[in-house]
Amino acid sequence: MRKKIVAGNWKMNLSLEEGQSLHKTINSELEGASANCEVYHFTPSIYLTSLINEDQKVQVGAQNGHPEKSGAFTGEISMSQLKAIGTQAVLIGHSERRQLFNESDSFLKEKVDAALSEGLKVFFCCGESLEQRENGDYNTTVVNQLKNALFHLDSTDFQKIVIAYEPIWAIGTGKTASPEQANEMHQNIRKSFAHAYSKEIAEDISILYGGSCKPSNASDLLTQSDIDGGLIGGASLKAEDFLAIISTYK
Ligand SMILES: O=C(CO)COP(=O)(O)O
Protein backbone atom coordinates (compact mmCIF):
# COMPACT_ATOMS: atom_id res chain seq x y z
CA MET A 1 0.00 0.00 0.00
CA ARG A 2 1.31 3.43 -0.82
CA LYS A 3 2.67 5.65 1.91
CA LYS A 4 1.63 9.13 2.97
CA ILE A 5 4.60 11.48 3.01
CA VAL A 6 5.07 15.11 3.97
CA ALA A 7 8.43 16.57 2.95
CA GLY A 8 9.87 20.02 3.50
CA ASN A 9 12.18 21.50 0.88
CA TRP A 10 14.10 24.24 2.64
CA LYS A 11 15.77 25.36 -0.60
CA MET A 12 18.59 27.85 0.16
CA ASN A 13 16.96 29.12 3.35
CA LEU A 14 17.59 29.11 7.11
CA SER A 15 20.84 29.57 9.03
CA LEU A 16 22.40 26.43 10.51
CA GLU A 17 21.02 27.35 13.94
CA GLU A 18 17.54 27.96 12.54
CA GLY A 19 17.65 24.69 10.63
CA GLN A 20 18.80 22.71 13.67
CA SER A 21 16.15 24.26 15.83
CA LEU A 22 13.38 23.62 13.27
CA HIS A 23 14.50 20.01 12.78
CA LYS A 24 14.62 19.47 16.54
CA THR A 25 11.15 20.93 17.06
CA ILE A 26 9.56 18.82 14.35
CA ASN A 27 11.27 15.68 15.66
CA SER A 28 10.20 16.28 19.22
CA GLU A 29 6.60 17.04 18.23
CA LEU A 30 6.45 13.80 16.25
CA GLU A 31 8.17 11.75 18.94
CA GLY A 32 5.75 9.25 20.36
CA ALA A 33 3.01 10.30 17.93
CA SER A 34 1.55 7.46 15.92
CA ALA A 35 3.21 7.47 12.53
CA ASN A 36 0.56 8.05 9.91
CA CYS A 37 2.95 9.60 7.46
CA GLU A 38 6.66 9.72 6.79
CA VAL A 39 8.31 13.10 7.22
CA TYR A 40 11.41 14.36 5.41
CA HIS A 41 13.54 17.49 5.51
CA PHE A 42 15.43 18.33 2.32
CA THR A 43 18.08 20.66 3.65
CA PRO A 44 21.05 22.54 2.23
CA SER A 45 23.79 19.90 1.80
CA ILE A 46 26.13 21.70 4.16
CA TYR A 47 23.70 21.02 7.04
CA LEU A 48 23.22 17.30 6.38
CA THR A 49 25.88 15.94 8.72
CA SER A 50 24.61 17.96 11.64
CA LEU A 51 20.98 16.86 11.12
CA ILE A 52 21.21 13.20 10.13
CA ASN A 53 20.30 10.86 12.96
CA GLU A 54 18.86 7.47 12.06
CA ASP A 55 16.93 7.23 15.30
CA GLN A 56 14.84 10.30 14.60
CA LYS A 57 11.42 10.48 13.02
CA VAL A 58 12.27 13.08 10.41
CA GLN A 59 14.42 11.65 7.66
CA VAL A 60 16.97 13.91 6.05
CA GLY A 61 17.57 14.33 2.35
CA ALA A 62 19.69 16.39 -0.05
CA GLN A 63 18.27 18.78 -2.62
CA ASN A 64 20.72 17.71 -5.30
CA GLY A 65 23.50 15.26 -6.09
CA HIS A 66 25.87 14.64 -8.99
CA PRO A 67 25.70 11.35 -10.92
CA GLU A 68 29.46 10.77 -11.15
CA LYS A 69 31.01 9.05 -8.13
CA SER A 70 34.04 11.35 -8.03
CA GLY A 71 36.10 13.56 -10.27
CA ALA A 72 36.72 17.09 -11.47
CA PHE A 73 33.30 18.61 -10.82
CA THR A 74 34.10 21.65 -8.72
CA GLY A 75 31.38 22.53 -6.27
CA GLU A 76 29.40 19.32 -6.77
CA ILE A 77 28.60 16.53 -4.29
CA SER A 78 28.18 12.97 -5.56
CA MET A 79 25.35 10.62 -4.70
CA SER A 80 27.93 8.26 -3.20
CA GLN A 81 29.28 11.05 -0.97
CA LEU A 82 25.72 11.79 0.14
CA LYS A 83 25.16 8.13 0.91
CA ALA A 84 28.46 7.86 2.82
CA ILE A 85 27.36 10.48 5.37
CA GLY A 86 24.02 8.76 5.93
CA THR A 87 21.75 10.84 3.69
CA GLN A 88 18.47 8.99 3.24
CA ALA A 89 16.96 10.61 0.19
CA VAL A 90 17.59 13.04 -2.64
CA LEU A 91 15.44 15.42 -4.67
CA ILE A 92 15.91 15.07 -8.41
CA GLY A 93 14.36 17.17 -11.16
CA HIS A 94 13.09 20.10 -9.14
CA SER A 95 11.93 22.80 -11.57
CA GLU A 96 14.43 25.24 -10.08
CA ARG A 97 17.23 22.86 -11.04
CA ARG A 98 15.71 22.30 -14.49
CA GLN A 99 15.19 25.99 -15.17
CA LEU A 100 17.98 27.83 -13.34
CA PHE A 101 20.69 25.20 -13.81
CA ASN A 102 19.57 23.87 -17.21
CA GLU A 103 19.28 20.27 -16.06
CA SER A 104 18.02 18.13 -18.93
CA ASP A 105 15.92 14.98 -18.77
CA SER A 106 18.93 12.89 -19.79
CA PHE A 107 21.06 14.36 -16.99
CA LEU A 108 18.23 13.72 -14.54
CA LYS A 109 18.07 10.13 -15.73
CA GLU A 110 21.79 9.73 -14.90
CA LYS A 111 21.15 11.20 -11.47
CA VAL A 112 18.27 8.80 -10.84
CA ASP A 113 20.44 5.81 -11.79
CA ALA A 114 23.31 6.99 -9.57
CA ALA A 115 21.05 7.67 -6.59
CA LEU A 116 19.35 4.27 -6.86
CA SER A 117 22.66 2.47 -7.19
CA GLU A 118 23.67 4.06 -3.87
CA GLY A 119 20.38 2.98 -2.29
CA LEU A 120 19.12 6.53 -1.83
CA LYS A 121 15.40 7.17 -1.97
CA VAL A 122 14.60 9.40 -4.94
CA PHE A 123 11.98 12.14 -4.81
CA PHE A 124 11.52 12.84 -8.51
CA CYS A 125 9.89 16.17 -9.33
CA CYS A 126 7.87 16.93 -12.42
CA GLY A 127 5.53 19.71 -13.46
CA GLU A 128 4.46 22.00 -16.27
CA SER A 129 4.96 25.72 -16.88
CA LEU A 130 2.09 28.19 -17.01
CA GLU A 131 2.35 28.28 -20.78
CA GLN A 132 2.08 24.50 -21.02
CA ARG A 133 -0.90 24.56 -18.64
CA GLU A 134 -2.63 27.21 -20.76
CA ASN A 135 -1.81 25.43 -24.04
CA GLY A 136 -3.38 22.26 -22.72
CA ASP A 137 0.01 20.48 -23.01
CA TYR A 138 0.34 19.76 -19.32
CA ASN A 139 -0.44 16.06 -19.27
CA THR A 140 1.95 15.24 -22.11
CA THR A 141 4.68 17.45 -20.65
CA VAL A 142 4.61 15.73 -17.28
CA VAL A 143 4.33 12.20 -18.68
CA ASN A 144 7.30 12.91 -20.97
CA GLN A 145 9.37 14.07 -18.00
CA LEU A 146 8.63 10.74 -16.30
CA LYS A 147 9.26 8.69 -19.45
CA ASN A 148 12.57 10.36 -20.17
CA ALA A 149 14.07 9.96 -16.72
CA LEU A 150 12.32 6.99 -15.12
CA PHE A 151 10.70 4.58 -17.53
CA HIS A 152 13.92 2.70 -18.28
CA LEU A 153 13.96 1.42 -14.66
CA ASP A 154 13.00 -2.04 -13.42
CA SER A 155 9.69 -2.32 -11.60
CA THR A 156 11.49 -3.14 -8.34
CA ASP A 157 13.28 0.24 -8.47
CA PHE A 158 9.98 2.01 -7.82
CA GLN A 159 10.04 0.89 -4.19
CA LYS A 160 12.69 3.62 -3.82
CA ILE A 161 10.91 6.32 -5.83
CA VAL A 162 8.44 8.99 -4.83
CA ILE A 163 6.97 11.37 -7.40
CA ALA A 164 6.36 15.02 -6.60
CA TYR A 165 4.07 16.87 -8.96
CA GLU A 166 4.86 20.57 -8.74
CA PRO A 167 3.23 22.82 -11.33
CA ILE A 168 5.83 25.56 -11.90
CA TRP A 169 3.17 28.27 -11.89
CA ALA A 170 2.22 27.32 -8.34
CA ILE A 171 5.72 27.30 -6.81
CA GLY A 172 6.31 30.21 -4.47
CA THR A 173 3.57 32.20 -6.19
CA GLY A 174 0.79 31.80 -3.66
CA LYS A 175 -1.27 30.27 -6.51
CA THR A 176 -2.11 26.63 -5.97
CA ALA A 177 -3.49 24.10 -8.34
CA SER A 178 -7.08 23.45 -7.30
CA PRO A 179 -7.53 20.11 -5.54
CA GLU A 180 -9.32 18.89 -8.69
CA GLN A 181 -6.54 20.05 -11.04
CA ALA A 182 -3.89 18.44 -8.84
CA ASN A 183 -5.83 15.20 -8.44
CA GLU A 184 -6.45 15.00 -12.19
CA MET A 185 -2.70 15.22 -12.83
CA HIS A 186 -1.94 12.65 -10.14
CA GLN A 187 -4.40 10.27 -11.79
CA ASN A 188 -2.77 10.94 -15.11
CA ILE A 189 0.66 10.18 -13.65
CA ARG A 190 -0.66 6.99 -12.10
CA LYS A 191 -2.15 5.95 -15.46
CA SER A 192 1.20 6.45 -17.13
CA PHE A 193 2.77 4.04 -14.62
CA ALA A 194 -0.01 1.52 -15.19
CA HIS A 195 0.57 1.78 -18.92
CA ALA A 196 4.39 1.56 -18.76
CA TYR A 197 4.58 -1.00 -15.93
CA SER A 198 1.56 -2.40 -14.14
CA LYS A 199 -1.52 -1.50 -12.16
CA GLU A 200 0.27 -2.61 -9.00
CA ILE A 201 3.18 -0.21 -9.52
CA ALA A 202 0.74 2.59 -10.31
CA GLU A 203 -1.25 1.92 -7.15
CA ASP A 204 1.82 1.58 -4.94
CA ILE A 205 3.77 4.69 -5.87
CA SER A 206 3.39 7.74 -3.65
CA ILE A 207 2.68 10.94 -5.56
CA LEU A 208 3.07 14.20 -3.66
CA TYR A 209 1.73 17.62 -4.57
CA GLY A 210 3.90 20.73 -4.26
CA GLY A 211 3.27 24.38 -4.96
CA SER A 212 2.06 26.95 -2.41
CA CYS A 213 0.72 24.25 -0.14
CA LYS A 214 0.07 25.74 3.30
CA PRO A 215 -1.98 25.01 6.42
CA SER A 216 -5.08 26.70 4.97
CA ASN A 217 -5.24 24.55 1.81
CA ALA A 218 -3.37 21.39 2.90
CA SER A 219 -6.36 19.35 3.95
CA ASP A 220 -8.25 20.02 0.70
CA LEU A 221 -5.26 19.11 -1.42
CA LEU A 222 -3.68 16.29 0.54
CA THR A 223 -6.85 14.29 1.08
CA GLN A 224 -7.68 13.94 -2.62
CA SER A 225 -7.95 10.33 -3.76
CA ASP A 226 -4.64 10.25 -5.65
CA ILE A 227 -2.60 12.70 -3.61
CA ASP A 228 -0.37 10.94 -1.10
CA GLY A 229 1.27 13.91 0.55
CA GLY A 230 3.05 17.16 -0.07
CA LEU A 231 6.44 18.62 -0.96
CA ILE A 232 6.37 21.88 0.90
CA GLY A 233 8.61 24.91 0.30
CA GLY A 234 7.84 28.16 2.13
CA ALA A 235 5.47 26.62 4.67
CA SER A 236 8.11 24.07 5.75
CA LEU A 237 10.30 26.83 7.17
CA LYS A 238 8.06 27.48 10.17
CA ALA A 239 7.51 24.62 12.61
CA GLU A 240 3.91 25.63 13.29
CA ASP A 241 2.96 25.64 9.59
CA PHE A 242 4.79 22.43 8.75
CA LEU A 243 3.27 20.61 11.74
CA ALA A 244 -0.17 21.84 10.75
CA ILE A 245 0.31 20.35 7.29
CA ILE A 246 1.61 17.06 8.74
CA SER A 247 -1.46 16.92 10.98
CA THR A 248 -3.61 16.42 7.86
CA TYR A 249 -2.73 12.75 8.27
CA LYS A 250 -3.39 12.41 12.02
O1 LIG B 1 9.05 24.06 -4.73
C1 LIG B 1 8.36 23.68 -3.79
C2 LIG B 1 8.77 22.51 -2.99
O2 LIG B 1 9.77 21.79 -3.61
C3 LIG B 1 7.13 24.37 -3.41
O3 LIG B 1 7.48 25.62 -2.90
P1 LIG B 1 6.34 26.51 -2.19
O4 LIG B 1 5.63 25.61 -1.23
O5 LIG B 1 7.13 27.61 -1.52
O6 LIG B 1 5.45 27.01 -3.28
Side-chain angles (χ1 to χ4, degrees):
M1 214 187 74
R2 60 194 196 240
K3 294 186 186 99
K4 302 287 187 204
I5 299 171
V6 178
N9 175 9
W10 294 358
K11 307 191 181 183
M12 199 173 69
N13 293 302
L14 302 176
S15 68
L16 175 60
E17 291 71 24
E18 288 166 342
Q20 284 172 323
S21 154
L22 175 60
H23 188 64
K24 194 171 162 199
T25 307
I26 305 294
N27 267 308
S28 63
E29 290 292 326
L30 299 180
E31 197 58 49
S34 62
N36 291 321
C37 70
E38 290 185 357
V39 179
Y40 287 79
H41 273 151
F42 287 93
T43 77
S45 298
I46 198 168
Y47 300 167
L48 290 168
T49 44
S50 76
L51 300 178
I52 290 166
N53 177 339
E54 275 180 19
D55 298 331
Q56 289 181 334
K57 284 263 166 124
V58 182
Q59 301 187 61
V60 181
Q63 297 169 14
N64 187 29
H66 196 278
E68 294 296 333
K69 262 192 190 317
S70 61
F73 298 98
T74 302
E76 290 292 314
I77 299 170
S78 70
M79 300 293 179
S80 69
Q81 289 170 324
L82 290 172
K83 179 64 184 179
I85 60 162
T87 308
Q88 288 152 317
V90 62
L91 283 184
I92 295 179
H94 193 283
S95 62
E96 287 150 19
R97 299 290 324 167
R98 293 176 190 263
Q99 291 192 312
L100 305 174
F101 301 94
N102 298 321
E103 294 191 357
S104 65
D105 284 352
S106 61
F107 189 49
L108 299 176
K109 179 180 175 190
E110 287 179 41
K111 289 186 182 211
V112 168
D113 290 343
L116 291 175
S117 75
E118 296 298 337
L120 292 167
K121 188 157 186 152
V122 170
F123 282 58
F124 185 83
C125 308
C126 55
E128 81 285 0
S129 65
L130 183 58
E131 196 190 345
Q132 289 160 333
R133 169 65 51 178
E134 287 173 346
N135 283 342
D137 286 345
Y138 50 98
N139 279 330
T140 329
T141 300
V142 169
V143 170
N144 281 337
Q145 290 171 343
L146 301 174
K147 261 191 200 156
N148 295 341
L150 298 181
F151 284 3
H152 63 291
L153 297 172
D154 291 336
S155 8
T156 50
D157 291 326
F158 290 100
Q159 287 160 7
K160 283 282 205 180
I161 296 198
V162 172
I163 305 296
Y165 167 59
E166 301 203 306
I168 298 169
W169 47 273
I171 295 179
T173 57
K175 249 188 180 180
T176 48
S178 68
E180 295 72 26
Q181 279 174 322
N183 203 42
E184 181 205 22
M185 179 59 86
H186 284 225
Q187 286 171 339
N188 176 46
I189 291 172
R190 232 178 268 292
K191 261 189 220 146
S192 75
F193 277 98
H195 186 69
Y197 290 91
S198 65
K199 234 179 148 182
E200 289 70 34
I201 299 274
E203 273 308 308
D204 274 0
I205 196 154
S206 296
I207 309 177
L208 317 185
Y209 169 80
S212 299
C213 183
K214 45 188 186 267
S216 59
N217 58 26
S219 69
D220 283 344
L221 284 161
L222 305 190
T223 57
Q224 294 294 308
S225 62
D226 285 272
I227 301 186
D228 307 308
L231 181 56
I232 319 296
S236 72
L237 302 175
K238 274 199 197 146
E240 191 189 342
D241 289 349
F242 195 50
L243 286 166
I245 295 173
I246 294 169
S247 73
T248 306
Y249 294 126
K250 272 215 170 120

